Amino acid sequence: MTKGTTSFGKRHNKSHTTCRRCGKTSFHIQKSTCASCGYPASKMRTYNWALKARGLRTNGTGRERYTKHMTRKFKNGFREGTQAKKQITK
């Protein structure tokens, strides 16, 4: 047996399939866990030694539906249910 061409022809079983949470082809079928994000664990799989991987899925990489308004709300003191005071022009 050779290590190359003939051996590659025998590869027809899939151990990993698409993950529901991260979308990568990293979900191990027999273990039923994702090698990339750790699904079905509730916490995302992250390691400090993988700086690039952490940067790819950290805060600020998505739509930021909540956090993009926080700077404006902080500037106004998180006020709610009031109307802004009219500014007097001089």
Side-chain angles (χ1 to χ4, degrees):
M1 286 299 294
T2 57
K3 293 185 281 184
T5 312
T6 52
S7 298
F8 283 102
K10 296 184 187 337
R11 298 186 182 192
H12 54 75
N13 294 326
K14 288 184 179 178
S15 58
H16 292 89
T17 188
T18 315
C19 175
R20 279 188 219 160
R21 183 159 66 184
C22 66
K24 291 185 180 179
T25 314
S26 305
F27 190 80
H28 197 283
I29 299 165
Q30 284 188 321
K31 289 183 187 176
S32 67
T33 52
C34 180
S36 180
C37 70
Y39 181 83
S42 57
K43 291 184 179 179
M44 287 286 279
R45 174 189 168 273
T46 54
Y47 292 102
N48 289 331
W49 49 259
L51 293 173
K52 190 184 283 186
R54 290 182 78 194
L56 291 172
R57 55 166 84 114
T58 188
N59 297 347
T61 55
R63 281 174 57 186
E64 291 201 293
R65 293 183 289 279
Y66 176 75
T67 49
K68 66 181 168 187
H69 304 296
M70 291 311 290
T71 49
R72 175 172 45 83
K73 287 183 176 183
F74 173 75
K75 185 179 73 177
N76 296 317
F78 297 98
R79 64 174 179 221
E80 285 184 336
T82 58
Q83 198 160 2
K85 295 174 186 174
K86 290 184 179 179
Q87 292 182 338
I88 303 163
T89 54
K90 292 183 180 179

